[in-house]
Amino acid sequence: MSDRPSSVSAAPRTIPVLDWRQSQPSRPVTLPLLQAQGQLQDRLQRPLRDLRISVTDRCNFRCSYCMPKEVFDKDYPYLPHASLLSFEEITVLARQFLAHGVRKIRLTGGEPLLRKNLERLIEQLAALRTIDGVAPDLTLTTNGSLLARKAASLKAAGLRRVTVSLDGLDDATFRRMNDVDFPVSDVLAGIEAAQRAGLGADGGLKVNMVVKRGTNEQEILPMARYFRSRGVTLRFIEYMDVGATNGWRMDEVLPSAEVIALLRQEFALLPLEAAAPGETAQRWGYANAQGQWDPALGEVGVISSVTQAFCHDCNRARLSTEGQLYLCLFGHQGHDLRSLVRGGASEAEIASAIAHIWQGRSDRYSELRASLPAEAAPAPGEGRRRVEMSYIGG
Ligand code: SAM
């Protein structure tokens, strides 16, 4: 990150994961060795269950809310290949996260399908085991542009599920939002290919739509009509103040409550229980004529990161493309795990470092932001610079 110009993205500070204060010359003092017992808790008693791994900071879309063209142009200093964690390094780290109780691994980015030979990484991760002795729930978030071509090989490699980002069905709106003139039909073809490949089994196929007031809220109902009864769970995400380059404004956030109210004008919806602790989405099931949830009709969800922060049970950690561990999507400091792996640390030392980091975690950015009066909340870009979502992984 040090090669990024400050006008683009000031280098996030990183925290060494070993205590390098010298008690004797040339011998670093290490923190006490903590073993992985699958029972880690942070300072707010939150467990570690979900690991998101960014495999590239590059993307072929330029959605203005994530990687605006004006910033992410041809001169943008993307990470050089040598900085990226290799598949072997990712696997070494993932094994230790699983030993600490992680059950779900999500590959993201940037656009993860741009990373060459991603199937090899998926094979390696699918061969790992959780503390319960089962394969991790392995999933991936993608813009869908390469999915039609890759769905079958991803499934064969061991991917279980996939989440596709799609911000509307109207071609002109979608092309404007991805800002590279990419057609909606190709993403829909990718979703169908994922279903044919078996990546949609057991409700595993999700579509995420970021809703921006004044940009694509007219797409909410057409998206719901299209994906209802198609075996795809549609989730509406509030436009978030993540990163420092998207010019976020509160008046462009369409609160989830308004999304649900709109949907209820047309569909009978019933609230559903969270599928897992720490789940980000609030789920709603489509009801049948008897007023009962009909799984064949499917469900929708809302992710209300802005209006209803869910930090209190956040069990996610994020591993950046170059191996910095972030404990919050809105973080500005990473913990450098890559130097541990490349420095020859043993697996027990890596596990211990992760334990120390997680035990020191107290982040709850969104809740704190929500508790401030609007005039006291930091304006985008103010204060310490936050990392971009494309770098940390969405
Ligand atoms: N390229 C992949 C994709 O498009 O899904 C993975 C990375 S992308 C950063 C992950 C998710 O974050 C996408 O669903 C995207 O729409 C969402 N996202 C990015 N910036 C956002 C923002 N400011 N607010 C809400 N969601 C955002």
Side-chain angles (χ1 to χ4, degrees), residues 100-113:
H100 277 304
V102 162
R103 291 176 166 92
K104 180 163 136 195
I105 297 180
R106 177 179 295 280
L107 301 181
T108 177
E111 172 46 43
L113 298 187

Side-chain angles (χ1 to χ4, degrees), residues 59 61 65-66 107-112 141-144 163-167 208-210 237-242 246 248 389-390 393-394:
C59 188
F61 282 14
Y65 56 75
C66 187
L107 301 181
T108 177
E111 172 46 43
T141 305
T142 173
N143 62 27
T163 298
V164 180
S165 305
L166 177 62
D167 296 333
N208 280 351
M209 170 176 168
V210 175
I237 308 182
E238 287 179 349
Y239 170 39
M240 288 185 284
D241 52 330
V242 73
N246 63 9
W248 181 87
M389 200 150 167
S390 50

Side-chain angles (χ1 to χ4, degrees), residues 263-311:
L263 292 171
R264 286 188 125 169
Q265 288 175 15
E266 182 163 331
F267 305 106
L269 294 178
L270 295 168
L272 302 177
E273 293 288 309
E279 187 175 44
T280 50
Q282 289 163 290
R283 303 168 60 209
W284 295 82
Y286 289 108
N288 58 19
Q290 289 72 46
Q292 275 158 358
W293 177 43
D294 182 351
L297 296 174
E299 60 177 89
V300 283
V302 285
I303 302 184
S304 321
S305 340
V306 179
T307 60
Q308 262 190 285
F310 37 77
C311 309

Side-chain angles (χ1 to χ4, degrees), residues 358-373:
W358 191 261
Q359 286 182 345
R361 175 187 192 241
S362 58
D363 304 59
R364 50 188 200 101
Y365 169 84
S366 296
E367 283 181 354
L368 292 176
R369 188 241 292 103
S371 70
L372 292 174

